[in-house]
Amino acid sequence: MLINGIDIDVAKLENPLLLVSEDEELLFLRLIQQTLEHELIQCELALATRKSISLVRDFWLALYKGGEKLYINSEHALLYPIRLIIFELVTQAEYFKHLSKKSIGDESLSLIYAIILVQFVLRWIKERFSDNKEVNEALKLLYRTTDENAEDQLSPTREQSIGQAIAVKAIRFEVRENSQEFASLLYQTYNFLHYLHDEQKETTKLSAIRNMEDILNRFYNNRYTTNKETFTG
């Protein structure tokens, strides 16, 4: 399937962070293939690469199953430290727990929530490290695939492992030093999903994703800004 002009096989995503059954894997694959057909350009970061779609799957499973039924696959977690730190920082937040209560057991609503969460969080991270070449180098494959062969590697090179460790440390530090801003990001995301739910009476149906484009545009224009001075306002 062509995503951002690159042929990506969504049937070959990265290994999941969470323990997942074969039926759940197949369910997500069916849902995400239908979603990608709608080409949500407002969610270009969340749906940019196999790495970002794999993160969407992590959040989808957490929202779909609920926090009490989640088990981290420690072997996979070691392979994807950047995905892991993003997943941990978001799922530990109170707003995520509220969303999980609303979406538990609802496969489609969980997917919509997961896509929006990944989109907003990756957008924040990308902006925070736009001027940090060292960290950006490790993060860039989340946003755009520059070397599909490199993405297919079963294990990272030593240089990549060092870069990932630097990025993980930087993300953790950035969130800790800007905890109010990060909390505001999750709060705005939580409010947006409430707004989306109110706007779409059939949110739980994938066909409703067709109508998300205008809603996302209105939200970005009215409430979301990249101006760091007013972002948390």
Side-chain angles (χ1 to χ4, degrees), residues 41 51 74 80 84 92 102 159 173 183 196 215:
I41 60 173
K51 290 181 180 294
S74 56
Y80 313 114
L84 180 63
Q92 290 170 3
K102 292 179 176 296
E159 291 75 14
F173 177 82
L196 180 65
I215 296 170

Side-chain angles (χ1 to χ4, degrees), residues 83-183:
R83 270 175 51 205
L84 180 63
I85 188 61
I86 295 172
F87 180 81
E88 288 180 340
L89 288 171
V90 174
T91 56
Q92 290 170 3
E94 198 64 32
Y95 295 120
F96 184 89
K97 297 173 184 178
H98 292 324
L99 288 175
S100 181
K101 290 179 181 179
K102 292 179 176 296
S103 61
I104 187 170
D106 191 319
E107 60 196 44
S108 298
L109 189 60
S110 295
L111 181 62
I112 293 173
Y113 282 9
I115 291 172
I116 299 299
L117 276 168
V118 172
Q119 172 65 23
F120 284 12
V121 171
L122 289 190
R123 183 166 176 169
W124 185 81
I125 290 174
K126 185 177 182 180
E127 290 168 355
R128 299 303 299 185
F129 296 106
S130 60
D131 297 327
N132 189 324
K133 184 177 180 180
E134 189 174 30
V135 174
N136 232 350
E137 189 68 21
L139 293 175
K140 67 181 182 181
L141 288 182
L142 273 171
Y143 315 131
R144 290 290 183 271
T145 303
T146 57
D147 185 349
E148 190 68 10
N149 292 326
E151 196 177 28
D152 285 331
Q153 290 179 350
L154 295 178
S155 60
T157 64
R158 182 176 182 275
E159 291 75 14
Q160 288 172 330
S161 295
I162 293 173
Q164 289 176 4
I166 292 172
V168 167
K169 184 177 180 180
I171 292 170
R172 184 182 287 113
F173 177 82
E174 192 72 21
V175 171
R176 184 173 66 248
E177 291 298 301
N178 299 278
S179 57
Q180 184 176 358
E181 182 177 325
F182 189 72

Side-chain angles (χ1 to χ4, degrees), residues 175-215:
V175 171
R176 184 173 66 248
E177 291 298 301
N178 299 278
S179 57
Q180 184 176 358
E181 182 177 325
F182 189 72
S184 178
L185 166 74
L186 297 181
Y187 176 68
Q188 288 206 40
T189 306
Y190 177 75
N191 279 344
F192 169 72
L193 290 169
H194 272 291
Y195 174 63
L196 180 65
H197 209 150
D198 290 340
E199 286 284 313
Q200 295 185 174
K201 302 304 181 183
E202 297 182 353
T203 302
T204 56
K205 295 183 179 179
L206 277 176
S207 59
I209 291 179
R210 296 178 183 274
N211 303 319
M212 280 177 59
E213 182 174 349
D214 290 340
I215 296 170

